[in-house]
Amino acid sequence: MNHPPIADSRLPELLRAMPKAELHMHIEGSLEPELMFALAKRNNVALRFPDEQALRDAYVFNNLQEFLDIYHEGTMVLKTEQDFYDMTCAYLARAQADNVLHTEIFFDTQTHTGHGLSADVVINGLYRACADAPAKFGMTASLILCFLRHLSEEEAFACLEEALPLRDKIVGIGLASSEVGHPPEKFAKVYARAREIGFRLVAHAGEEAPPAYIWSALDVLKVERIDHGVQAIHDAALMQRLAKDGIPLTVCPLSNLKLRVFPTLAQHNLKAMLDAGIVATVNSDDPAYFGGYVNQNFTETFAALGMTSQHAYTLARNSFEASFIDASVKRAYIDRLDATFASFA
Ligand code: ADE
Ligand code: ZN
């Protein structure tokens, strides 16, 4: 859809003001050093860094695994339902400041059950914050449980089982953690079960691993969205499939930069994806670690790639269209998006 022309000089302001949905962020990756230190103190957990700045200085990564190791260390400070609630509220406040109207939040129960917590402490804390989001932050929020792909399918089944009493608090199932060597088909049976139960399905695929992982996420796991998916660019048939079937990609440009998936933002393929007709969206992934929340992802990527207000509209609209919200809420959010663009014209 086209919208009235908007001056280039107003693009950064438009990117910040436009209503958007965020569909790819890991709540554990929103834990800022300040809150991490506060929770460490509250829960008597020792951190190996002397202060917040020393921790931030350690956020230099050569690949996904180097990030995952430090991310996992940070999750050790989370102990109580209140911790999960507080972490989620801190993220929701930041998202609200970026004019996010709806967010679908990833969490990995297995990280926390691996530290001796019970799944309900995690899910109830996260869910209480999501339930408070409309009144507290003027937005909607839902939860997607991600299996850890470096663990076995049997462990994913156990995780699903544990979450079932809280089924109504979770909208979907995802797949995260170390990608290369853990292809989607490893989780074929547990995804089939999740599908039977009625969960919406997504999976990280083609972040670092080749296009074959995206094909199997689609054809074996039967996911509705692909998280990252940027490696699809190397497979023309896959690009055509994604465009033809309108499979959304939840792209995370600053994450890709920090994890060296692309050497510079100017070499990122977001614009090429959009220009190829792919339903791409922009997201922050792990904003506390990757240098910014969703608006920072928009403004830096647009500047680096010379993208336009038409791209901005397409990305924001895609974010609502690709979300798992009810059709009437979706319509209302897109109306707000249209009103913002009209006010800038
Ligand atoms: N878990 C948190 N962030 C992730 C990412 N970018 N890829 C895979 N797993 C993750
Ligand atoms: Zn991710």
Side-chain angles (χ1 to χ4, degrees), residues 226-246:
I226 296 286
D227 297 313
H228 293 295
V230 290
Q231 302 301 332
I233 205 96
H234 304 297
D235 181 334
L238 178 58
M239 291 289 282
Q240 273 179 11
R241 162 88 185 274
L242 294 169
K244 179 173 73 61
D245 291 351

Side-chain angles (χ1 to χ4, degrees), residues 24-26 106 176 204 207 227-228 252 285-286:
H24 182 163
M25 69 81 53
H26 303 260
F106 292 150
H204 284 54
E207 178 181 11
D227 297 313
H228 293 295
C252 307
D285 206 7
D286 299 282

Side-chain angles (χ1 to χ4, degrees), residues 36-298:
M36 198 187 292
F37 272 81
L39 294 179
K41 193 165 171 209
R42 182 154 108 185
N43 294 326
N44 275 315
V45 176
L47 292 171
R48 71 181 162 95
F49 298 94
D51 55 35
E52 289 87 342
Q53 193 51 51
L55 178 57
R56 271 207 174 85
D57 291 344
Y59 294 171
V60 178
F61 313 111
N62 290 301
N63 52 47
L64 173 59
Q65 192 57 50
E66 287 187 12
F67 156 70
L68 289 170
D69 292 344
I70 208 160
Y71 159 96
H72 185 257
E73 209 178 321
T75 64
M76 304 291 262
V77 304
L78 296 159
K79 297 286 182 200
T80 67
E81 194 204 293
Q82 190 64 37
D83 298 340
F84 287 92
Y85 179 84
D86 291 344
M87 171 174 64
T88 308
C89 285
Y91 160 67
L92 291 171
R94 275 303 284 102
Q96 179 189 31
D98 282 3
N99 292 302
V100 172
L101 299 186
H102 175 72
T103 180
E104 296 181 0
I105 296 175
F106 292 150
F107 68 104
D108 22 89
T109 332
Q110 288 163 293
T111 297
H112 312 293
T113 53
H115 303 158
L117 274 60
S118 79
D120 31 324
V121 163
V122 178
I123 298 169
N124 286 328
L126 300 175
Y127 183 76
R128 188 155 58 88
C130 292
D132 286 350
K136 235 175 150 162
F137 304 106
M139 58 188 285
T140 47
S142 52
L143 295 173
I144 296 178
L145 191 174
C146 288
F147 299 135
L148 295 179
R149 69 200 306 157
H150 64 277
L151 301 179
S152 68
E153 185 176 47
E154 200 175 25
E155 287 164 291
F157 263 114
C159 170
L160 182 62
E161 225 27 68
E162 263 187 306
L164 280 189
L166 303 165
R167 196 258 165 270
D168 293 347
K169 298 182 175 174
I170 300 167
V171 68
I173 293 293
L175 187 62
S177 186
S178 319
E179 187 184 20
V180 174
H182 302 285
E185 53 271 28
K186 178 176 163 187
F187 296 92
K189 293 192 196 76
V190 73
Y191 262 70
R193 177 77 189 116
R195 191 154 169 262
E196 255 170 36
I197 296 167
F199 285 111
R200 311 299 295 262
L201 302 178
V202 302
H204 284 54
E207 178 181 11
E208 288 184 336
Y213 281 54
I214 303 174
W215 283 109
S216 60
L218 294 173
D219 292 336
V220 181
L221 303 187
K222 305 197 184 304
V223 301
E224 300 169 67
R225 298 196 301 242
I226 296 286
D227 297 313
H228 293 295
V230 290
Q231 302 301 332
I233 205 96
H234 304 297
D235 181 334
L238 178 58
M239 291 289 282
Q240 273 179 11
R241 162 88 185 274
L242 294 169
K244 179 173 73 61
D245 291 351
I247 309 285
L249 301 189
T250 62
V251 178
C252 307
L254 289 178
S255 164
N256 295 153
L257 180 66
K258 270 291 221 183
L259 301 186
R260 306 198 184 208
V261 173
F262 295 93
T264 66
L265 268 189
Q267 287 158 281
H268 199 284
N269 63 22
L270 177 67
K271 184 166 180 279
M273 290 278 185
L274 285 177
D275 293 347
I278 286 178
V279 184
T281 64
V282 167
N283 308 271
S284 68
D285 206 7
D286 299 282
Y289 292 89
F290 296 154
Y293 288 77
V294 69
N295 279 1
Q296 193 81 22
N297 275 271
F298 272 105

